[in-house]
Amino acid sequence: MNDRYSRQELFSGIGKKGQQAISQKHVLIVGAGALGSGNAEALVRAGVGKVTIIDRDYVEWSNLQRQQLFTEQDAAEKIPKAVAAKERLTKINSSVLVEAITGDAGVQELEGLHKDVDVIIDATDNFDTRMIINDISQKYRIPWVYGACVGSYGISYTIIPGVTPCLHCLLETVPLGGATCDTAGIISPAAGMVVSFQTAEVMKLLVGDLEHIRKKLVSFDLWENQHTSISPGTLKKEDCPSCGSRPSYPFLRYENQTKAAVLCGRDSVQIRPAMKGDRDLERTAQILSKTGGRIERNPFLLSYENSGKRLVLFKDGRVLIHGIKDIAEAKTIYHRYLG
């Protein structure tokens, strides 16, 4: 007798009926870092029918402190995160179908992945991708669970199309910068806490228990012993272009996406943020100064050099990444240091 899920079935919120439902569902995880690997392992152990993981990056030594699916060998061989995750996950539960996609989670990619997805998990490291996920969610009526962490801080929020405010209602615009794990560090318990919030919400969605979905946006700081939850229900906007009465899904349009291009005749990539706006070079310099790289400034731009790559940031938001021609790698570097 196979009692693999017996303890989960004994839990009144799931039961045998809920376990059967879980085994037939498909979860898309965008990102295979700390949040992505943690959610993937929990859901594969829980017996979800199919898990699709998309990530453009490879395993590095600095990942091993918190990204639980990966090994020293993965880092030494620079194995793509999605590939390494699939190899580990299939050893954990061979009955779960795991699909690994090594690539950028852009509009075209997510448009092609949404068709049979029941829930989307945000495990990315930037708001560009999150806003695309948000519009995909609203357009195709797929619930998703937002999550982020840096330092000892974490945040999570469950978004159900037609029911809750969407991320666009809450944020309205994409931030041009902010702290990242590479600039502010991170402790693994913070990532683990966000994973717990996200996975619990996903399991509620998979068994159809909408009554117990957390209605609040929750945030915490484990080091400072702080915990906050707010009810964002009143923030839902009738005229929101993503979830309002006349949605236009702005972040699925080309003009609202981050642009990246290899500069002709130069070993450089230019990245232009989707949203126009002045970048605070002084604040950015303060954030980057924590990474140990070399910083130079003049009234017009900021130059930052680290690990053989040089980033030149302009006040209008543009960034030149020198010493590279691969756009996917350039995006990884961009989001690693600039959020």
Side-chain angles (χ1 to χ4, degrees):
M1 179 178 178
N2 188 348
D3 63 350
R4 179 168 195 148
Y5 308 112
S6 61
R7 303 304 185 269
Q8 194 161 279
E9 291 173 351
L10 284 172
F11 175 63
S12 60
I14 295 178
K16 290 185 177 295
K17 183 178 179 181
Q19 187 61 45
Q20 180 64 24
I22 288 173
S23 70
Q24 297 173 352
K25 298 300 175 66
H26 179 191
V27 178
L28 170 62
I29 303 177
V30 183
L35 299 187
S37 59
N39 274 289
E41 179 170 343
L43 292 172
V44 163
R45 290 186 183 279
V48 171
K50 180 180 179 180
V51 173
T52 296
I53 305 171
I54 180 169
D55 191 287
R56 65 181 173 223
D57 209 352
Y58 59 86
V59 182
E60 298 180 272
W61 289 97
S62 63
N63 301 151
L64 302 181
Q65 162 253 354
R66 66 195 181 281
Q67 298 180 17
Q68 62 196 54
L69 288 178
F70 309 130
T71 67
E72 291 184 349
Q73 184 175 351
D74 294 328
E77 297 178 3
K78 294 182 170 57
I79 304 297
K81 288 185 178 181
V83 174
K86 177 179 179 177
E87 182 177 350
R88 172 65 175 156
L89 292 168
T90 53
K91 291 178 180 178
I92 290 172
N93 192 342
S94 59
S95 67
V96 175
L97 177 60
V98 180
E99 181 182 18
I101 300 172
T102 300
D104 201 16
V107 173
Q108 184 176 356
E109 290 78 11
L110 294 182
E111 285 270 16
L113 290 174
H114 78 274
K115 293 179 182 178
D116 63 343
V117 169
D118 296 288
V119 183
I120 302 173
I121 296 179
D122 163 35
T124 187
D125 59 359
N126 66 88
F127 275 96
D128 286 343
T129 306
R130 288 186 179 112
M131 299 309 281
I132 293 173
I133 293 172
N134 186 69
D135 276 7
I136 290 287
S137 162
Q138 298 301 321
K139 182 177 180 179
Y140 298 107
R141 317 302 283 179
I142 304 169
W144 71 288
V145 185
Y146 161 62
C149 54
V150 66
S152 56
Y153 173 83
I155 186 170
S156 180
Y157 175 56
T158 303
I159 297 170
I160 304 177
V163 178
T164 68
C166 75
L167 193 63
H168 200 167
C169 289
L170 272 60
L171 300 181
E172 294 190 339
T173 58
V174 179
L176 277 180
T180 71
C181 295
D182 284 80
T183 59
I186 184 170
I187 58 173
S188 60
M193 182 69 78
V194 175
V195 167
S196 295
F197 280 122
Q198 287 185 297
T199 304
E201 292 295 286
V202 169
M203 293 181 74
K204 295 173 194 176
L205 290 166
L206 296 181
V207 302
D209 189 359
L210 300 185
E211 179 183 353
H212 285 95
I213 290 294
R214 189 182 62 247
K215 307 300 190 298
K216 297 183 178 182
L217 184 151
V218 62
S219 64
F220 61 84
D221 190 317
L222 293 178
W223 207 262
E224 299 294 336
N225 302 310
Q226 297 172 353
H227 186 281
T228 305
S229 59
I230 62 172
S231 299
T234 57
L235 299 178
K236 187 170 177 60
K237 297 177 173 62
E238 178 65 21
D239 60 349
C240 174
S242 294
C243 73
S245 57
R246 295 182 179 180
S248 59
Y249 312 116
F251 294 96
L252 303 185
R253 299 202 301 264
Y254 176 79
E255 61 268 24
N256 290 329
Q257 298 167 29
T258 293
K259 313 298 190 303
V262 178
L263 299 185
C264 183
R266 300 172 63 184
D267 192 19
S268 305
V269 173
Q270 174 177 270
I271 296 182
R272 185 184 296 273
M275 291 296 181
K276 295 180 179 179
D278 289 342
R279 186 184 297 277
D280 187 335
L281 295 181
E282 182 177 353
R283 178 173 177 270
T284 303
Q286 292 174 354
I287 293 172
L288 292 175
S289 66
K290 301 175 183 178
T291 66
R294 186 164 64 91
I295 297 174
E296 296 178 347
R297 281 190 59 191
N298 64 34
F300 312 102
L301 57 83
L302 182 154
S303 174
Y304 170 76
E305 190 168 355
N306 198 345
S307 302
K309 301 294 188 296
R310 186 165 69 95
L311 284 68
V312 178
L313 295 74
F314 297 88
K315 292 185 70 174
D316 65 358
R318 288 180 301 115
V319 178
L320 297 182
I321 303 178
H322 297 286
I324 190 170
K325 289 184 178 179
D326 184 87
I327 288 178
E329 186 179 353
K331 285 183 177 180
T332 296
I333 294 170
Y334 175 85
H335 292 302
R336 176 177 296 166
Y337 292 113
L338 302 176

